[in-house]
């Protein structure tokens, strides 16, 4: 359960982004003269780009340093940069902070499912692995609830609190990861030569895994498309012509 909380940082950030970028105080602070939707899209997309790069590198990182240390490092990085984003004063600070957050999320997304699969008993592996996805949806839900209340703050600093509260799930994971044992498979990989214990990667196995992994496309595409569509003038005029 503690390991699966790695999904909270991903889910919370997904949920918080859309709410913060629609708060008037946030837009007035970073876009006082002209509302530049392209720059705003860059702020949101920078996290996903960094998460993509981190995910590609995280496989080697988890093998060399272990699942637990990768989770811990990603959570610490996310924790530091969540605070950095909360106190951002310039657009470039938001973009840099978001990219560093993306690296933390990429490490967590790579290491957590592997860790849970390796630690969980075979009989309960599927059910326990679902806790990671459950944590993502909980993070999204909590973020949306907090956005609703923080947006009502009169001092115009609600966006700071929304971004800053990302440190809460990060702290939970950091503390938990400190006391977690590493998975048996991870310990074996670092003691023995990887080639001596691994099977062959055939073309059929590769294609099978790739096709299965494409299930993430529906999640990723919908996350990416939602923010863009809801900022298109034709969409807003069609469904919200009066408001």
């Amino acid at each position: 359960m503690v390991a699966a909380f790695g999904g909270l940082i991903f889910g919370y950030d997904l949920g918080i982004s859309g709410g913060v970028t629609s708060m008037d105080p946030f837009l007035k602070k970073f876009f006082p003269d002209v509302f530049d939707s392209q720059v705003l899209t860059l702020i949101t997309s920078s996290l996903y780009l960094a998460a993509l790069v981190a995910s590609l590198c995280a496989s080697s990182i988890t093998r060399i340093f272990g699942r637990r240390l990768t989770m811990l490092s990603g959570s610490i990085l996310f924790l530091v940069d969540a605070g950095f984003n909360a106190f951002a004063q310039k657009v470039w600070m938001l973009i840099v902070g978001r990219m560093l957050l993306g690296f933390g999320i990429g490490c967590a997304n790579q290491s957590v499912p592997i860790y849970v699969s390796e630690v969980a008993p075979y009989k309960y592996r599927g059910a326990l692995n679902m806790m990671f996805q459950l944590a993502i949806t909980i993070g999204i839900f909590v973020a949306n609830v907090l956005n609703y209340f923080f947006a009502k703050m009169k001092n115009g600093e609600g966006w700071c609190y929304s971004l800053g509260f990302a440190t809460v799930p990060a702290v939970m994971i950091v503390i938990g990861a400190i006391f977690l044992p590493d998975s048996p498979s991870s310990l074996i990989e670092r003691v023995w030569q990887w080639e001596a214990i691994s099977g062959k990667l055939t073309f059929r196995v590769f294609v099978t895994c790739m096709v299965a992994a494409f299930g993430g496309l529906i999640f990723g595409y919908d996350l990416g498309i939602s923010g863009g569509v809801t900022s298109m003038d034709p969409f807003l005029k069609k469904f919200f012509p009066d408001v």
Side-chain angles (χ1 to χ4, degrees):
M1 185 178 68
V2 172
F5 277 172
L8 282 177
I9 59 175
F10 185 35
Y12 184 86
D13 194 81
L14 290 175
I16 217 70
S17 300
V20 167
T21 53
S22 65
M23 293 182 183
D24 287 342
F26 175 85
L27 298 175
K28 290 176 181 177
K29 180 176 180 63
F30 294 100
F31 306 94
D33 301 319
V34 180
F35 176 65
D36 191 340
S37 61
Q38 292 182 337
V39 176
L40 189 61
T41 301
L42 177 62
I43 292 173
T44 304
S45 301
S46 58
L47 178 135
Y48 304 129
L49 177 61
L52 172 63
V53 175
S55 296
L56 294 175
C57 303
S59 177
S60 298
I61 295 174
T62 55
R63 187 179 73 248
I64 297 172
F65 299 103
R67 315 332 181 198
R68 186 186 72 86
L69 187 58
T70 304
M71 279 191 292
L72 181 60
S73 301
S75 301
I76 292 175
L77 185 61
F78 188 93
L79 173 63
V80 172
D81 291 301
F84 182 80
N85 260 358
F87 293 100
Q89 299 297 318
K90 302 291 184 180
V91 172
W92 69 265
M93 296 176 68
L94 286 175
I95 296 175
V96 171
R98 296 283 295 172
M99 292 187 69
L100 294 176
L101 286 174
F103 281 107
I105 289 175
C107 289
N109 282 356
Q110 172 72 21
S111 56
V112 169
I114 298 175
Y115 179 88
V116 175
S117 295
E118 293 176 345
V119 171
Y122 174 76
K123 185 177 180 180
Y124 305 104
R125 187 170 297 163
L128 293 177
N129 231 329
M130 283 302 297
M131 289 197 298
F132 179 65
Q133 301 298 327
L134 178 63
I136 292 177
T137 57
I138 291 175
I140 294 173
F141 174 75
V142 171
N144 283 312
V145 171
L146 291 178
N147 274 336
Y148 175 79
F149 289 104
F150 288 146
K152 296 179 178 294
M153 294 181 65
K154 302 298 184 182
N155 59 4
E157 296 181 354
W159 65 271
C160 297
Y161 289 97
S162 290
L163 294 175
F165 257 76
T167 58
V168 175
V171 167
M172 294 169 57
I173 304 162
V174 169
I175 295 175
I178 291 174
F179 299 100
L180 289 179
D182 217 336
S183 69
S185 297
S186 179
L187 294 172
I188 292 173
E189 281 182 7
R190 283 178 288 154
V191 174
W192 295 352
Q193 290 295 321
W194 173 245
E195 291 78 5
I197 62 174
S198 63
K200 292 182 179 179
L201 179 62
T202 65
F203 179 74
R204 182 177 181 181
V205 171
F206 175 76
V207 172
T208 300
C209 294
M210 184 177 67
V211 171
F214 278 174
L217 281 177
I218 57 176
F219 184 40
Y221 183 84
D222 190 74
L223 291 174
I225 212 70
S226 299
V229 168
T230 52
S231 64
M232 293 180 183
D233 287 341
F235 174 85
L236 297 173
K237 290 176 181 178
K238 180 176 179 64
F239 293 99
F240 305 95
D242 300 321
V243 182

